[in-house]
Amino acid sequence: MNPIYLLWLITALMAVAMAYAINLSRRADNIMNKFFVYLILGMMNSMLIAPVFYFIFILSLLKTIEFSVIIMMLEVLPFLFKFLSDLMQNSGSVKKSFLFYYTIFFVMFDELIMSIDFNLITANSYLHFLFLQPLNAVFQAVSTYWFVFPMAFEMLITSLILKNSLKKLVFIIFAMQSLVMLLMPTAINNSLYAGIAVYLSGAIMTGFFIYIFEYLYRKQSLHKTEGKYILQLLAAYTLMMAGVFIWQYSKNVYLISASMIIDMIVYLNGLLRYNFDDKQFFWITARRWSVLYMTMVFTSEFFMGLTFDAQYYGAGTYLISMGLASIGGSIINIISASLYDFIVFFADVALSPWFLIMMGIEMGSLVVFKIRTTKQIENKIRLILMLLAYALYTVIVPSFLIPNNSMIPFIGWTMGIGSGGPVAPLLIIPMVLTYVISGILSLLFGSRQLCSVFCSAPVMYQGTFYDSMKKFNRQTKTSRAITLNNKSGQRLYKTVSLIVYASIGITAVLSFLDSIHITSFYFYGTDPEYMLYLFYFGVVWYIVFITMPLLGSYACINTGYCHWGNFNRFVSRFGFFKLKVRDSDTCLTCKTRDCATACPVGNSSMPGSFIKTGAYKDSRCVGIGDCIEACPHDNIFVYDVRNYLRERLGGEKKKDTSGSKKDKLI
């Protein structure tokens, strides 16, 4: 029999024994169960430590067995005395805190020692490595399949044993953790396996995020321990994905090994110490939790996207392509180079094809869920067009079909000036044509063509979970000011817009002068206008998005920082687009005014405008359509160039919906 098969048999048996001990520890309701946990973990620990000493001190088999027995006695005797003392005192109380910490420590320690044992047995050079670099050897042991696979197997068995006593959400989280642990790319030293593991584990995590988003949307509440556990898990996965990238780049396993240990501690701590059935809270009113959740989700997704890019392009090649500045010299140079590197690194990852693909699958799934519940055909069509635009206009065409597209209007300048390159003479015509094309579309169909279709933001804002976060619009003084557009909100909008346009104008002049060789003003070799684009749309946008619980939904519109959206919304004021009602008298008698609270942008003056004129036209209205869905009378519809042409061609009669019945009688 091949010895490796025997080792795997031992590994499987140890994993089952560990799972049983964990289950017994969680259910320990008497002194006898506690003692069995101490006994099982102590025995396994003594059996696993003995081989380490066998290899290090070159002991005989008999000496190794004796040593193992001594260790077991030393570990078990204190708990045996405590057990006997409790029995003699007839103590029925079971304090579990120490038992839980003991279980967590020894489960982790036993798994680590087992991995070291089997590495000593299977790798001839590992003993020498252990002597020369003990810390490196320990982290290396954690990263191998002798640690990864048993831990994943142990987590899965434990979850299955406890399935009937766990809530569905908790069981799915535990099962997902075991699958992600199983797919650690360091487990097997093979490039093909590493690639499959990176993409497959990322797919599992993306599916998990989709499930959690939809769960939160439908339930609206969590138990406190569930919310706490989700944040801890996301923090662990952020470290894990960062560790995977460092391993991809340098083969250093320190961070990824540490993150696996943290992930296991989070798992065991949650399994043993949390009952997941305590007091509930409504996350939609818990701003602090929601901001932390949004931040943790984004950071884990950020590093996940980074690992995808590194796997596809090669970690070294990908980093070199960013053109990061070397950090050194004076304090000023260190600070400026560090700031530059942060912006470029952050933006390059956040705007990279694989990050956008991952985000598109995740956010797009939530949009699909919304399409299923959307009543109005017009809104269904727009949501479908929005998904197609994201796939084609944001990802496939510019990244894979036409990667060098600066000379192509609209396609190469998706976010206006700066997004396609510098303000150079050769590029001015396609840049100007982009504004012309987009402006014409806004005149005909309103700024919804950008802010609700072509831009990537609506895919992120309009899925089920994120759309429900519009409830934060009126929860804080800041979000109320921004979304309701009161005096302080208007001041903020004007100030931010002024800063944005001034910065764009200055950098545009510098970019043009650089391109004709009059000046040479670059940010470490990067064109100033393109650098500003990276900052606004690769960094600021994501900060605005994840702080939605504080700033409210669609802060990209309401703060005025998105100059491309500002341009299109300004043009749309002179175009055909508006909201109209079929009968303004219905609005006059409406008791709910649901349209006023449904808008995620914060347009709340619709009822008055509908009653007075039968229409609503505002530059902040970007045709999302939530007001149409919310109207209990099916009274609101979108009016644009299509309606105008039908009226002129006689296919649709123009209705006068303004004024009340009383006005008409007079």
Side-chain angles (χ1 to χ4, degrees):
M1 181 179 181
N2 192 326
I4 199 73
Y5 297 144
L6 180 60
L7 292 180
W8 279 116
L9 177 61
I10 295 171
T11 299
L13 293 174
M14 292 292 287
V16 172
M18 289 284 192
Y20 176 75
I22 294 169
N23 178 45
L24 196 61
S25 177
R26 188 174 191 267
R27 297 175 181 273
D29 54 1
N30 58 57
I31 300 168
M32 184 63 72
N33 284 347
K34 286 176 63 178
F35 179 69
F36 277 142
V37 174
Y38 295 138
L39 185 63
I40 292 171
L41 293 176
M43 289 177 62
M44 286 193 293
N45 183 254
S46 63
M47 288 188 295
L48 291 168
I49 286 180
V52 176
F53 283 85
Y54 171 82
F55 281 100
I56 292 176
F57 298 106
I58 317 178
L59 301 176
S60 65
L61 182 60
L62 181 60
K63 290 289 184 182
T64 303
I65 295 173
E66 291 174 353
F67 185 76
S68 176
V69 172
I70 292 171
I71 293 175
M72 183 176 65
M73 290 176 60
L74 291 174
E75 290 182 344
V76 174
L77 278 176
F79 305 109
L80 178 60
F81 290 142
K82 182 67 170 62
F83 167 71
L84 294 174
S85 175
D86 290 341
L87 283 180
M88 292 176 65
Q89 296 175 13
N90 294 319
S91 174
S93 62
V94 180
K95 295 181 180 180
K96 293 186 176 183
S97 296
F98 178 76
L99 174 66
F100 289 161
Y101 291 125
Y102 177 91
T103 303
I104 292 170
F105 173 79
F106 270 95
V107 166
M108 297 300 302
F109 188 59
D110 288 354
E111 291 288 356
L112 175 60
I113 295 299
M114 183 171 67
S115 180
I116 292 175
D117 285 343
F118 292 172
N119 274 284
L120 286 169
I121 294 170
T122 57
N124 295 328
S125 60
Y126 188 77
L127 179 60
H128 184 65
F129 183 38
L130 188 62
F131 273 118
L132 292 180
Q133 302 179 50
L135 186 61
N136 284 349
V138 169
F139 278 103
Q140 189 68 40
V142 173
S143 69
T144 64
Y145 54 75
W146 291 120
F147 182 90
V148 172
F149 292 164
M151 285 304 300
F153 187 46
E154 179 184 307
M155 293 167 70
L156 186 59
I157 292 175
T158 306
S159 301
L160 291 173
I161 292 173
L162 297 171
K163 180 180 179 181
N164 292 333
S165 64
L166 297 173
K167 294 175 61 178
K168 182 180 178 181
L169 170 66
V170 177
F171 174 74
I172 288 176
I173 292 175
F174 287 165
M176 183 277 306
Q177 278 187 266
S178 65
L179 291 176
V180 172
M181 176 68 76
L182 182 67
L183 291 167
M184 281 297 100
T186 60
I188 297 177
N189 187 22
N190 180 278
S191 59
L192 178 61
Y193 174 83
I196 294 173
V198 166
Y199 290 122
L200 197 54
S201 61
I204 291 171
M205 288 178 65
T206 301
F208 168 69
F209 289 149
I210 294 170
Y211 174 80
I212 292 293
F213 286 140
E214 194 63 11
Y215 180 90
L216 292 174
Y217 167 70
R218 294 181 182 278
K219 298 293 184 179
Q220 296 288 303
S221 64
L222 285 171
H223 292 282
K224 285 190 174 182
T225 45
E226 291 174 340
K228 186 177 181 180
Y229 189 84
I230 288 172
L231 293 181
Q232 292 172 347
L233 180 60
L234 291 173
Y237 280 159
T238 297
L239 291 176
M240 188 177 289
M241 293 298 104
V244 170
F245 173 72
I246 291 174
W247 173 78
Q248 289 173 314
Y249 179 70
S250 65
K251 299 304 177 185
N252 185 300
V253 297
Y254 270 52
L255 185 56
I256 191 171
S257 296
S259 68
M260 282 191 281
I261 293 172
I262 292 171
D263 180 46
M264 274 306 303
I265 292 173
V266 168
Y267 171 80
L268 292 170
N269 184 62
L271 188 67
L272 296 174
R273 297 185 62 239
Y274 296 167
N275 59 18
F276 298 109
D277 199 25
D278 54 350
K279 187 177 179 181
Q280 290 187 316
F281 71 98
F282 290 95
W283 64 267
I284 201 66
T285 60
R287 292 189 301 276
R288 180 180 299 179
W289 184 89
S290 296
V291 169
L292 286 173
Y293 174 72
M294 294 278 285
T295 303
M296 289 292 97
V297 167
F298 175 77
T299 53
S300 57
E301 290 172 335
F302 177 87
F303 285 108
M304 195 196 315
L306 178 61
T307 62
F308 288 169
D309 287 317
Q311 190 63 40
Y312 185 79
Y313 299 107
T317 303
Y318 184 58
L319 276 182
I320 292 172
S321 69
M322 292 183 182
L324 300 177
S326 59
I327 299 175
S330 65
I331 295 296
I332 295 177
N333 187 65
I334 290 174
I335 294 173
S336 61
S338 299
L339 182 61
Y340 169 83
D341 285 352
F342 170 78
I343 294 173
V344 170
F345 180 79
F346 191 102
D348 273 10
V349 174
L351 297 173
S352 67
W354 285 102
F355 179 82
L356 293 174
I357 290 171
M358 177 196 65
M359 293 292 284
I361 293 172
E362 181 183 304
M363 306 296 186
S365 298
L366 303 182
V367 174
V368 171
F369 297 151
K370 184 176 181 179
I371 292 173
R372 293 170 59 186
T373 59
T374 299
K375 297 177 294 184
Q376 299 292 330
I377 296 297
E378 173 92 8
N379 284 337
K380 283 180 180 287
I381 293 173
R382 185 192 61 77
L383 290 170
I384 293 170
L385 289 175
M386 181 179 75
L387 291 178
L388 291 174
Y390 184 94
L392 296 173
Y393 184 66
T394 302
V395 180
I396 296 175
V397 172
S399 298
F400 299 103
L401 296 183
I402 315 176
N404 299 314
N405 48 38
S406 296
M407 295 298 297
I408 303 176
F410 200 66
I411 298 295
W413 299 78
T414 55
M415 299 306 292
I417 188 171
S419 58
V423 184
L426 190 64
L427 300 177
I428 287 179
I429 291 178
M431 182 181 67
V432 170
L433 285 176
T434 297
Y435 279 83
V436 171
I437 294 170
S438 191
I440 291 173
L441 289 174
S442 290
L443 282 172
L444 298 176
F445 302 102
S447 57
R448 70 190 307 223
Q449 63 86 12
L450 173 68
C451 299
S452 292
V453 177
F454 280 109
C455 182
S456 60
V459 174
M460 300 175 70
Y461 274 128
Q462 293 181 32
T464 50
F465 170 77
Y466 290 106
D467 182 59
S468 68
M469 296 189 82
K470 62 189 175 187
K471 294 178 182 178
F472 285 113
N473 286 1
R474 292 170 173 83
Q475 288 191 20
T476 68
K477 184 178 179 180
T478 302
S479 63
R480 284 194 299 271
I482 292 174
T483 57
L484 297 180
N485 201 29
N486 59 24
K487 289 183 179 180
S488 58
Q490 290 174 7
R491 283 196 299 269
L492 176 66
Y493 183 92
K494 291 176 182 178
T495 302
V496 172
S497 298
L498 181 63
I499 293 172
V500 169
Y501 282 116
S503 62
I504 288 174
I506 293 170
T507 52
V509 171
L510 290 172
S511 178
F512 180 76
L513 294 176
D514 288 343
S515 67
I516 59 176
H517 309 294
I518 292 178
T519 60
S520 182
F521 185 89
Y522 295 94
F523 291 98
Y524 295 95
T526 300
D527 175 76
E529 192 67 60
Y530 182 71
M531 185 70 188
L532 200 64
Y533 159 73
L534 293 179
F535 175 67
Y536 282 142
F537 294 106
V539 179
V540 175
W541 151 242
Y542 289 101
I543 295 173
V544 168
F545 180 72
I546 64 179
T547 55
M548 205 187 315
L550 302 177
L551 301 180
S553 184
Y554 277 90
C556 56
I557 291 175
N558 291 322
T559 59
Y561 101 87
C562 178
H563 62 84
W564 186 227
N566 292 348
F567 164 77
N568 282 275
R569 287 192 299 276
F570 174 77
V571 172
S572 71
R573 295 169 61 181
F574 307 99
F576 296 98
F577 173 78
K578 67 181 76 172
L579 295 177
K580 297 187 74 173
V581 292
R582 295 177 176 86
D583 184 4
S584 59
D585 295 318
T586 303
C587 299
L588 183 64
T589 59
C590 181
K591 296 180 179 180
T592 62
R593 308 290 171 93
D594 291 332
C595 60
T597 57
C599 180
V601 181
N603 291 295
S604 58
S605 59
M606 285 181 281
S609 182
F610 287 148
I611 293 170
K612 186 177 180 180
T613 67
Y616 180 77
K617 190 175 182 68
D618 190 284
S619 62
R620 291 202 309 154
C621 179
V622 293
I624 296 166
D626 283 5
C627 57
I628 300 175
E629 293 292 320
C631 178
H633 310 290
D634 192 21
N635 195 33
I636 308 172
F637 66 96
V638 169
Y639 182 96
D640 57 28
V641 68
R642 296 169 298 171
N643 306 76
Y644 176 82
L645 290 175
R646 282 196 291 266
E647 290 174 355
R648 290 295 178 270
L649 296 175
E652 182 178 292
K653 292 183 179 180
K654 186 175 181 180
K655 295 181 180 180
D656 180 13
T657 59
S658 62
S660 65
K661 291 182 179 178
K662 182 178 179 181
D663 294 332
K664 291 176 182 177
L665 289 173
I666 292 173

CSV table of all heavy atoms in Angstrom, one decimal, residues 422-442:
chain,number,residue,atom,x,y,z
A,422,PRO,N,-5.2,62.0,-23.4
A,422,PRO,CA,-4.9,63.4,-23.2
A,422,PRO,C,-5.7,64.3,-24.1
A,422,PRO,O,-6.3,63.8,-25.1
A,422,PRO,CB,-3.4,63.5,-23.5
A,422,PRO,CG,-3.2,62.4,-24.4
A,422,PRO,CD,-4.1,61.2,-24.0
A,423,VAL,N,-5.7,65.6,-23.8
A,423,VAL,CA,-6.4,66.6,-24.7
A,423,VAL,C,-5.3,66.9,-25.8
A,423,VAL,O,-4.7,68.0,-25.7
A,423,VAL,CB,-6.8,67.8,-23.9
A,423,VAL,CG1,-7.6,68.8,-24.8
A,423,VAL,CG2,-7.7,67.4,-22.8
A,424,ALA,N,-5.1,66.0,-26.7
A,424,ALA,CA,-4.1,66.2,-27.8
A,424,ALA,C,-4.9,66.6,-29.1
A,424,ALA,O,-6.0,66.2,-29.3
A,424,ALA,CB,-3.3,65.0,-28.0
A,425,PRO,N,-4.2,67.3,-30.0
A,425,PRO,CA,-4.8,67.7,-31.2
A,425,PRO,C,-5.5,66.6,-32.0
A,425,PRO,O,-6.6,66.7,-32.5
A,425,PRO,CB,-3.7,68.4,-32.0
A,425,PRO,CG,-2.7,68.9,-31.0
A,425,PRO,CD,-2.8,67.9,-29.8
A,426,LEU,N,-4.8,65.4,-32.0
A,426,LEU,CA,-5.3,64.3,-32.7
A,426,LEU,C,-6.5,63.7,-32.1
A,426,LEU,O,-7.4,63.1,-32.8
A,426,LEU,CB,-4.2,63.2,-32.8
A,426,LEU,CG,-4.4,62.0,-33.7
A,426,LEU,CD1,-4.5,62.5,-35.2
A,426,LEU,CD2,-3.3,61.0,-33.5
A,427,LEU,N,-6.7,63.9,-30.8
A,427,LEU,CA,-7.9,63.3,-30.1
A,427,LEU,C,-9.0,64.3,-29.9
A,427,LEU,O,-10.0,63.9,-29.3
A,427,LEU,CB,-7.4,62.7,-28.8
A,427,LEU,CG,-6.3,61.6,-28.9
A,427,LEU,CD1,-5.9,61.2,-27.5
A,427,LEU,CD2,-6.8,60.4,-29.7
A,428,ILE,N,-8.8,65.6,-30.2
A,428,ILE,CA,-9.9,66.5,-29.9
A,428,ILE,C,-11.2,66.3,-30.7
A,428,ILE,O,-12.3,66.4,-30.1
A,428,ILE,CB,-9.4,68.0,-30.2
A,428,ILE,CG1,-8.3,68.4,-29.1
A,428,ILE,CG2,-10.5,69.0,-30.2
A,428,ILE,CD1,-7.7,69.8,-29.3
A,429,ILE,N,-11.0,65.9,-32.0
A,429,ILE,CA,-12.2,65.6,-32.8
A,429,ILE,C,-13.1,64.5,-32.2
A,429,ILE,O,-14.3,64.6,-32.0
A,429,ILE,CB,-11.8,65.4,-34.2
A,429,ILE,CG1,-11.3,66.7,-34.9
A,429,ILE,CG2,-13.0,64.9,-35.0
A,429,ILE,CD1,-10.9,66.6,-36.3
A,430,PRO,N,-12.5,63.3,-31.9
A,430,PRO,CA,-13.3,62.2,-31.4
A,430,PRO,C,-13.9,62.6,-30.0
A,430,PRO,O,-15.0,62.2,-29.7
A,430,PRO,CB,-12.4,61.0,-31.3
A,430,PRO,CG,-11.0,61.6,-31.4
A,430,PRO,CD,-11.1,62.8,-32.3
A,431,MET,N,-13.1,63.4,-29.2
A,431,MET,CA,-13.6,63.8,-27.9
A,431,MET,C,-14.8,64.7,-28.1
A,431,MET,O,-15.8,64.6,-27.4
A,431,MET,CB,-12.5,64.5,-27.1
A,431,MET,CG,-12.9,64.9,-25.7
A,431,MET,SD,-11.6,65.8,-24.9
A,431,MET,CE,-11.4,67.3,-25.8
A,432,VAL,N,-14.7,65.7,-29.0
A,432,VAL,CA,-15.8,66.6,-29.2
A,432,VAL,C,-17.0,65.9,-29.8
A,432,VAL,O,-18.2,66.2,-29.4
A,432,VAL,CB,-15.4,67.8,-30.1
A,432,VAL,CG1,-16.6,68.6,-30.6
A,432,VAL,CG2,-14.3,68.7,-29.4
A,433,LEU,N,-16.8,65.0,-30.7
A,433,LEU,CA,-17.9,64.2,-31.3
A,433,LEU,C,-18.6,63.4,-30.2
A,433,LEU,O,-19.8,63.2,-30.3
A,433,LEU,CB,-17.4,63.3,-32.4
A,433,LEU,CG,-17.0,64.0,-33.7
A,433,LEU,CD1,-16.4,63.0,-34.7
A,433,LEU,CD2,-18.2,64.7,-34.3
A,434,THR,N,-17.9,62.9,-29.2
A,434,THR,CA,-18.5,62.2,-28.1
A,434,THR,C,-19.5,63.1,-27.4
A,434,THR,O,-20.6,62.6,-27.1
A,434,THR,CB,-17.4,61.7,-27.1
A,434,THR,OG1,-16.5,60.8,-27.8
A,434,THR,CG2,-18.0,61.0,-25.9
A,435,TYR,N,-19.1,64.3,-27.1
A,435,TYR,CA,-20.0,65.2,-26.5
A,435,TYR,C,-21.2,65.5,-27.4
A,435,TYR,O,-22.4,65.6,-26.9
A,435,TYR,CB,-19.3,66.6,-26.1
A,435,TYR,CG,-18.5,66.5,-24.9
A,435,TYR,CD1,-17.2,65.9,-24.8
A,435,TYR,CD2,-19.1,66.9,-23.7
A,435,TYR,CE1,-16.5,65.8,-23.7
A,435,TYR,CE2,-18.4,66.8,-22.5
A,435,TYR,CZ,-17.1,66.3,-22.5
A,435,TYR,OH,-16.4,66.2,-21.3
A,436,VAL,N,-21.0,65.6,-28.7
A,436,VAL,CA,-22.1,65.9,-29.6
A,436,VAL,C,-23.1,64.7,-29.6
A,436,VAL,O,-24.3,64.9,-29.5
A,436,VAL,CB,-21.5,66.1,-31.0
A,436,VAL,CG1,-22.7,66.2,-32.1
A,436,VAL,CG2,-20.7,67.4,-31.1
A,437,ILE,N,-22.5,63.5,-29.8
A,437,ILE,CA,-23.4,62.3,-29.8
A,437,ILE,C,-24.2,62.1,-28.5
A,437,ILE,O,-25.4,61.9,-28.5
A,437,ILE,CB,-22.5,61.0,-30.1
A,437,ILE,CG1,-21.9,61.1,-31.5
A,437,ILE,CG2,-23.3,59.8,-29.9
A,437,ILE,CD1,-20.8,60.0,-31.7
A,438,SER,N,-23.5,62.2,-27.4
A,438,SER,CA,-24.1,62.1,-26.1
A,438,SER,C,-25.2,63.2,-25.9
A,438,SER,O,-26.2,62.9,-25.4
A,438,SER,CB,-23.1,62.0,-25.0
A,438,SER,OG,-23.7,61.6,-23.8
A,439,GLY,N,-24.8,64.4,-26.3
A,439,GLY,CA,-25.7,65.5,-26.1
A,439,GLY,C,-27.0,65.3,-27.0
A,439,GLY,O,-28.1,65.6,-26.5
A,440,ILE,N,-26.8,64.8,-28.2
A,440,ILE,CA,-28.0,64.6,-29.0
A,440,ILE,C,-28.9,63.5,-28.4
A,440,ILE,O,-30.1,63.7,-28.4
A,440,ILE,CB,-27.6,64.2,-30.4
A,440,ILE,CG1,-26.9,65.3,-31.2
A,440,ILE,CG2,-28.8,63.6,-31.2
A,440,ILE,CD1,-26.3,65.0,-32.5
A,441,LEU,N,-28.3,62.5,-27.9
A,441,LEU,CA,-29.1,61.4,-27.2
A,441,LEU,C,-29.8,62.0,-26.0
A,441,LEU,O,-31.0,61.6,-25.7
A,441,LEU,CB,-28.2,60.3,-26.8
A,441,LEU,CG,-27.6,59.4,-27.9
A,441,LEU,CD1,-26.6,58.4,-27.4
A,441,LEU,CD2,-28.7,58.7,-28.7
A,442,SER,N,-29.2,62.9,-25.3
A,442,SER,CA,-29.8,63.5,-24.1
A,442,SER,C,-31.0,64.4,-24.5
A,442,SER,O,-32.0,64.5,-23.8
A,442,SER,CB,-28.8,64.2,-23.2
A,442,SER,OG,-27.9,63.3,-22.6
